[in-house]
Structures are given as structure tokens and as C-alpha cells.
């Protein structure tokens, strides 16, 4: 069996839970005519988590949408500059998102004690997934940028 | 106005130097929010709330269904059946590729995924039959672009999310326009094959063979019937239909064809997370961008500009078609839906244009943009399969683009093509 990374195991587990919850919901609605729609809340918040994790894996594999037509025509040194700029911008983007999410969580814990609508779970349990899973985004951005710069270096020689 | 210029130029410059679209649009919108003091806390709130919507969960589940059915070998079974049906005609294999891609579009919601699944099956056998490799890649690439018109479709889910038009109704609205484009592609494939003397397959399928292939493919053929049937009958929402389709494909792959291993399922889950995150990365930040656009008053100015051009609805629709075609040359469908489409929404009422019809028409225009270079996600996939540069394949794709534009004109001037299904199902009242 192929060796998998932590973030791959995480998306496998979380996406499976989402699917099972969703299917359980559909079954209960049609067969037992009872809805445990409250689980929708778990599903949609898990969707946020796998999105952050998926964004990380997509950075690693270079699968994000983009236009390379002009980039391909650049000289090698400029490609390196552009690669670093892209990585720094993405890191700042997620750092800013994380900063405001963490500030929100802090306010929640100390002041508002917001609870979720359906399940009455403290809200921060859901939102804390964003900064935690962003760690993978940062890690993948740094490692893939170093790898891309190295391969651009090899290209010139 | 300066705000608009700054926001858009930042976005475009970043994309031009090769920064991913999600990063570019995120950076542009956060710059706009900070610079114009629109309230930075909306960044954290909208990042999560842009994703955590129940209708959007249909995206990963439809992608997962496509992954599971494709790993379960169902694309091959469908293609075998369709080749037996139309393979004998001139250009038979190419026409079979068009029809199979359309069919797979009714299983998978994503163009590139369709291009990969169908390309792997058809391109090698087309080349063996004497078709030019670049033509084969163009046929598969262009017809996979249909995947975003034929439901289930990520573009429709996103359009419904932005406009509030029922996703189920949009799905039904895409069926006939999708078939119109299949028709125009079949015609041009036939014309080119006739001219280049691409012959059909020698042997004709006997009715016994066809029946056998049909039985073999029946479980794959049933998948879109279940999805669209349950939506048409009003039994399931698109998200529920997506979840049901995931478990249907698991059942078929594990118990009927015994072709799905645990490893396949794990790989499908990881591939799904990537595909869906690539879409959602753009969705969530483009959502923030469009909020910034609205708060800065950019949308109002642009909308007034559109109304000032002409009061004639047909000129308006032609203008929309041209703008979306051109935008589609350079940008992906999702960011166009968030960044440019909202300009036209407020003026639809003035021109008496139905929002569901508008969604279908815009999606067709965007689908055409997705197969025209420089940004041609589907052609990238098929060009990679034949290991030729994109522009070589692009040379062969132009006839398809022209015929798709003819299809777009038909769809634009006969709104009933888009509205008949949703209205007859009572899911939509115009």
C-alpha cells in the first residue's frame, strides 16, 4: 500500500464521516421520516476543514488554477522571483485569515461564548480547524516553493 | 472608479505572473478591504461562511461519485457500448468520443476530470485508427468542456449559490442546451472526418453484442437517471442526490463489478478533496471579492454602464455572450461568475431576462471559454495525454469553438430550450 501523508489521512477520514452523516440523514428522512438535520451543521463545518486541507495538498501538487501562458515566456530568474512572490502572497493570505479567525475565537472564549445553532456546540470547536489545518498550507507552500526553485536552478545548468 | 481599477489590475497582474487564481483574487480582495476600511473582521467570517453552505457540499460529492465510477471502470463500459452503436459511421470513433464525453458529463461535474477519464480511453484507440493525434485530443478536450453544461455541474451549483436560483432547476435547465452542443459537435466531427477520410470501424456490432454491452453498462447508465430523475421528481435536492450517487457508485463498484479496492476508494477521497478545494479556494475568496466590489459601489457603476449601451434585450444578450466568451479565454469559470456576472444580475429585470435562462446561457459561454486557449483547462489535460504542446491541439479546436458558438446563439435566442424542463417539473416558475 502507498505511504500516505497525515493530511491525506485527515481528508480520507473527514470526507468519509461527511459522506456517512449525509447518507444517514437522507436515509432517516425517507425511511424513518425523522430528520437529524442537525448533523448538517457538522457536515458543512467539516467541509471548511477539508477545503483548507485540500488547498494545502493542491499547493503541494501544483493543481491550483492559474494562467501559465505568460509565466512560461519569462526568463528563468524572473520565474524564480514570481514563484517566491506567489508563495509569499499565499502565506500572507492565510496568515491574515488565521489572525482574524484566532482573534474571533479568543473573543468567543473570553466574551461571547457563542454556541452553534443546531447542536449547541461552542462555535470555536468548528472555527479552530481553520488555523490548525492552515499549518499544512504553510508547510506545503514552503516545501513546494523550495522544490520548484531547485528544479528551475537545474533547468538553467 | 479608481477603486475598481486598483482591485482589477492587482488581480490581473498577479494572474499574469503565474500566481494561482485563488491567491490572486484573495490578495486583491483583502487589499481592497484593508485599503478602503471595509471592516477586516469580515475576512474571517466570510472565509468560513463562503464555504459552509449545504448546497455547496454537492460539489465534493458529485466529484467523488465521478472518481469512484471512473476507478470502478464504468467509463470503459459506457464507451464500449457507445462505440458499438455509432462506431460504424464516418468518424465513428470520434463521434463516440463526443457522445461518451457528454454522457460522462452527466456523471461527473468537472470538465478536466471528464477529459482525463474519456481521453485515456479514446485518444490511444483513435490514433491507432488513423486519426491525427492533435485532432483526437481536440475532440476529447472540446467535448469534455460540455461537462459543465450537462448536469450535474459545478458551474450551476456556484451560479445557484450566487443568485439564489434553485440548483435543481438549473440542472434540469442544462439538459437540452447540453444536447444542442452535443449536436453541433457531432456535425463538425462528421464534416472533418468526411473531409479527412477518417473511416468508421470495420465491424458493425450485432444486436446481440449491443444488447450485451448495454447490459454491461447499465449500472453506469442508471447513475445519471437516478440523479436527474430524483431531482426532476422533486424527491431529492441536488446535495441529497449527490450523496445518494456516492453510495450508489460504491455499491456498484464493490458488489456488482468487484472492481473497487480499498486503495481505490482512498485515492478517490484524496483526489476529491483536491478537486473540490481547488474550486472552493476560488469560491470563498471570489465571494469576498464580490462583497468588496458591491460595497465599493463598483457594481452599480458597471451595471448603469451596461444599461446605457442599449435598451434592446437581444443586444444585451449578445453583449453578455461576447463578454463572457472573451473573459473565458483568460479566466476560469468560477471567478468569472463571482467577479463579472454580478454586474449583469441587477439589470436582468430591466431587459426581462429570466435568471435561470441567463445562468444556462452564461454557463454555455463559459464552457466555450474553457476549451479556448490560453486558459483551456480541458485541452491541457488532453495535450498532456498525447505529449504535444497546447497550441498544436488548439489549432484543431477552432472548428469546435465556432460550432459551439453557433450552438450558443441557438440557446440564446430560444430561451425555451433552457426553461422547458425546469418549468415542466414544477421546480421553477419563471
Amino acid at each position: 500500500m502507498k505511504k500516505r501523508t497525515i493530511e491525506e489521512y485527515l481528508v480520507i477520514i473527514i470526507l468519509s464521516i461527511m459522506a456517512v452523516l449525509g447518507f444517514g440523514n437522507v436515509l432517516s428522512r425517507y425511511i424513518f421520516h425523522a430528520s437529524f438535520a442537525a448533523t448538517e451543521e457538522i457536515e458543512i463545518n467539516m467541509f471548511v476543514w477539508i477545503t483548507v486541507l485540500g488547498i494545502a495538498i493542491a499547493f503541494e501538487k501544483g493543481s491550483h488554477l492559474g494562467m501559465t501562458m505568460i509565466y512560461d515566456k519569462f526568463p528563468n530568474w524572473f520565474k524564480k522571483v514570481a514563484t517566491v512572490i506567489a508563495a509569499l502572497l499565499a502565506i500572507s493570505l492565510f496568515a491574515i485569515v488565521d489572525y482574524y479567525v484566532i482573534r474571533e475565537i479568543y473573543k468567543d472564549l473570553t466574551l461571547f461564548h457563542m454556541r452553534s445553532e443546531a447542536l449547541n456546540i461552542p462555535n470555536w470547536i468548528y472555527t479552530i480547524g481553520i488555523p490548525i489545518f492552515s499549518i499544512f498550507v504553510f508547510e506545503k507552500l514552503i516545501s513546494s516553493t523550495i522544490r520548484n526553485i531547485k528544479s528551475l536552478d537545474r533547468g538553467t545548468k | 472608479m479608481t477603486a475598481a481599477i486598483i482591485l482589477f489590475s492587482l488581480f490581473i497582474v498577479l494572474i499574469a505572473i503565474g500566481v494561482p487564481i485563488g491567491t490572486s483574487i484573495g490578495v486583491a480582495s483583502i487589499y481592497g478591504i484593508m485599503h478602503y476600511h471595509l471592516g477586516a473582521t469580515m475576512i474571517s467570517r466570510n472565509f468560513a461562511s463562503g464555504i459552509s453552505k449545504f448546497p455547496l457540499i454537492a460539489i465534493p460529492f458529485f466529484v467523488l461519485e465521478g472518481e469512484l465510477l471512473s476507478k470502478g471502470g464504468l467509463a470503459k463500459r459506457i464507451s464500449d457500448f457507445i462505440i458499438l452503436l455509432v462506431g460504424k459511421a464516418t468518424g465513428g470513433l470520434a463521434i463516440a468520443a463526443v457522445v461518451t464525453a457528454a454522457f460522462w458529463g452527466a456523471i461527473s461535474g468537472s470538465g478536466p476530470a471528464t477529459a482525463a477519464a474519456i481521453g485515456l480511453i479514446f485518444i490511444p484507440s483513435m490514433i491507432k485508427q488513423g486519426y491525427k493525434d492533435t485532432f483526437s485530443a481536440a475532440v476529447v478536450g472540446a467535448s469534455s468542456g460540455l461537462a459543465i453544461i450537462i448536469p450535474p455541474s459545478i458551474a450551476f451549483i456556484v451560479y445557484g449559490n450566487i443568485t439564489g436560483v434553485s440548483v435543481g432547476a438549473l440542472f434540469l435547465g442544462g439538459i437540452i442546451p447540453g444536447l444542442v452542443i452535443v449536436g453541433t459537435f457531432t456535425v463538425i466531427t462528421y464534416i472533418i472526418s468526411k473531409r479527412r477520410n477518417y473511416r468508421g470501424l470495420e465491424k458493425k456490432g450485432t444486436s446481440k453484442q449491443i444488447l450485451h454491452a448495454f447490459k454491461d453498462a447499465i449500472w453506469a447508465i442508471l447513475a445519471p437517471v437516478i440523479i436527474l430523475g430524483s431531482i426532476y421528481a422533486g424527491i431529492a435536492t441536488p446535495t441529497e442526490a449527490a450523496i445518494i450517487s456516492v453510495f450508489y457508485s460504491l455499491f456498484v463498484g464493490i458488489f456488482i463489478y468487484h472492481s473497487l479496492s480499498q486503495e481505490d476508494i482512498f485515492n478517490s477521497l484524496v483526489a476529491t478533496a483536491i478537486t473540490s478545494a481547488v474550486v472552493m479556494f476560488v469560491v470563498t475568496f471570489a465571494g469576498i471579492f464580490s462583497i468588496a466590489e458591491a460595497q465599493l459601489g463598483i457594481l452599480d457603476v458597471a451595471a448603469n454602464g451596461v444599461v446605457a449601451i442599449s435598451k434592446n434585450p437581444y443586444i444585451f444578450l449578445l453583449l453578455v455572450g461576447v463578454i463572457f466568451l472573451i473573459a473565458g479565454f483568460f479566466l476560469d469559470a468560477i471567478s468569472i461568475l463571482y467577479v463579472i456576472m454580478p454586474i449583469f444580475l441587477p439589470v436582468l429585470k430591466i431587459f426581462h431576462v429570466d435568471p435561470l435562462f441567463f445562468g444556462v446561457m452564461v454557463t454555455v459561454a463559459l464552457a466555450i471559454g474553457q476549451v479556448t486557449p490560453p486558459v483551456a483547462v480541458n485541452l491541457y489535460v488532453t495535450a498532456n495525454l498525447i505529449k504535444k504542446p497546447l497550441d498544436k491541439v488548439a489549432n484543431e479546436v477552432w472548428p469546435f469553438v465556432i460550432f459551439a458558438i453557433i450552438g450558443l446563439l441557438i440557446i440564446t435566442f430560444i430561451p425555451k430550450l433552457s426553461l422547458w424542463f425546469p418549468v415542466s417539473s414544477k421546480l421553477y416558475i419563471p
Side-chain angles (χ1 to χ4, degrees), chain B residues 264-396:
Chain B
D264 287 333
I265 297 172
F266 281 9
N267 285 336
S268 302
L269 288 165
V270 173
T272 300
I274 296 173
T275 308
S276 123
V278 165
V279 173
M280 295 309 296
F281 186 25
V282 180
V283 164
T284 184
F285 283 116
I288 298 177
F289 189 93
S290 69
I291 295 171
E293 259 183 326
Q295 291 196 356
L296 291 170
I298 297 172
L299 291 181
D300 297 335
V301 175
N304 287 333
V306 171
V307 180
I309 293 173
S310 166
K311 292 274 183 294
N312 182 321
Y314 291 108
I315 296 187
F316 167 73
L317 288 177
L318 282 176
L319 179 77
V320 168
V322 171
I323 289 175
F324 279 80
L325 278 176
I326 296 173
F329 289 176
F330 302 102
L331 278 175
D332 69 294
I334 310 291
S335 35
I336 296 171
L337 284 177
Y338 275 99
V339 174
I340 301 177
M341 209 259 309
I343 295 171
F344 300 100
L345 282 182
V347 300
L348 290 184
K349 271 213 181 90
I350 299 175
F351 292 105
H352 302 288
V353 173
D354 181 86
L356 186 148
F357 155 73
F358 187 71
V360 175
M361 182 209 146
V362 160
T363 304
V364 175
L366 291 178
I368 299 172
Q370 301 310 291
V371 295
T372 33
V375 180
V377 277
N378 300 310
L379 291 192
Y380 267 115
V381 175
T382 55
N384 274 337
L385 287 177
I386 60 167
K387 300 196 172 58
K388 285 267 172 81
L390 182 69
D391 32 321
K392 290 274 186 312
V393 179
N395 289 338
E396 292 276 0

Side-chain angles (χ1 to χ4, degrees), chain A residues 101-120:
Chain A
V101 171
I102 291 170
R103 230 176 58 160
E104 207 86 330
I105 291 173
Y106 178 75
K107 274 196 236 160
D108 240 15
L109 286 173
T110 51
L111 218 56
F112 300 126
H113 304 287
M114 293 267 279
R115 284 174 173 271
S116 69
E117 271 168 47
L119 292 174
N120 205 27

Side-chain angles (χ1 to χ4, degrees), chain A residues 40-68:
Chain A
E40 270 181 24
E41 182 186 294
I42 299 177
E43 281 173 71
I44 57 175
N45 283 291
M46 285 186 157
F47 187 34
V48 180
W49 298 352
I50 60 154
T51 299
V52 178
L53 287 165
I55 289 173
I57 304 176
F59 271 123
E60 161 84 25
K61 300 200 190 284
S63 345
H64 281 297
L65 295 170
M67 190 168 74
T68 53

Side-chain angles (χ1 to χ4, degrees), chain B residues 94-368:
Chain B
I95 292 172
V98 173
V99 177
T100 311
F103 198 91
W104 201 252
I107 283 177
S108 154
S110 134
T114 305
I118 303 304
L120 276 174
I121 296 170
F122 274 95
I123 294 176
S125 50
M126 282 177 76
I127 295 172
K128 217 185 281 167
Q129 269 288 308
Y131 291 84
K132 216 166 121 191
D133 55 353
T134 46
F135 174 75
S136 315
V139 170
V140 173
S143 34
S144 305
L146 291 173
I148 78 166
I149 312 168
I150 295 180
S153 147
I154 292 176
F156 284 146
I157 298 172
V158 171
Y159 183 86
N161 182 45
I162 299 172
T163 60
V165 176
S166 143
V167 176
L170 282 162
F171 276 11
L172 299 175
I175 297 175
I176 299 175
L179 294 177
V180 169
I181 305 284
V182 176
T184 64
F185 279 5
T186 310
V187 170
I188 182 64
T189 307
Y190 181 81
I191 294 173
I192 294 176
S193 302
K194 189 105 197 171
R195 202 178 288 165
R196 296 194 187 163
N197 209 9
Y198 293 146
R199 294 224 189 93
L201 297 172
E202 293 290 316
K203 55 176 198 302
K204 190 176 182 225
T206 61
S207 46
K208 208 175 159 193
Q209 277 175 316
I210 293 176
L211 190 71
H212 186 260
F214 177 74
K215 270 192 195 149
D216 216 29
I218 183 73
W219 294 96
I221 294 168
L222 275 178
V225 174
I226 292 172
I227 294 170
L228 293 175
S230 62
I231 294 173
Y232 184 88
I235 302 171
T237 65
T239 304
E240 288 172 336
I243 293 169
I244 294 168
S245 75
V246 164
F247 284 84
Y248 173 80
S249 16
L250 276 175
F251 173 77
V252 171
I254 297 172
F255 297 108
I256 305 216
Y257 294 133
H258 309 286
S259 51
L260 215 49
S261 67
Q262 186 203 330
E263 189 67 12
D264 287 333
I265 297 172
F266 281 9
N267 285 336
S268 302
L269 288 165
V270 173
T272 300
I274 296 173
T275 308
S276 123
V278 165
V279 173
M280 295 309 296
F281 186 25
V282 180
V283 164
T284 184
F285 283 116
I288 298 177
F289 189 93
S290 69
I291 295 171
E293 259 183 326
Q295 291 196 356
L296 291 170
I298 297 172
L299 291 181
D300 297 335
V301 175
N304 287 333
V306 171
V307 180
I309 293 173
S310 166
K311 292 274 183 294
N312 182 321
Y314 291 108
I315 296 187
F316 167 73
L317 288 177
L318 282 176
L319 179 77
V320 168
V322 171
I323 289 175
F324 279 80
L325 278 176
I326 296 173
F329 289 176
F330 302 102
L331 278 175
D332 69 294
I334 310 291
S335 35
I336 296 171
L337 284 177
Y338 275 99
V339 174
I340 301 177
M341 209 259 309
I343 295 171
F344 300 100
L345 282 182
V347 300
L348 290 184
K349 271 213 181 90
I350 299 175
F351 292 105
H352 302 288
V353 173
D354 181 86
L356 186 148
F357 155 73
F358 187 71
V360 175
M361 182 209 146
V362 160
T363 304
V364 175
L366 291 178
I368 299 172

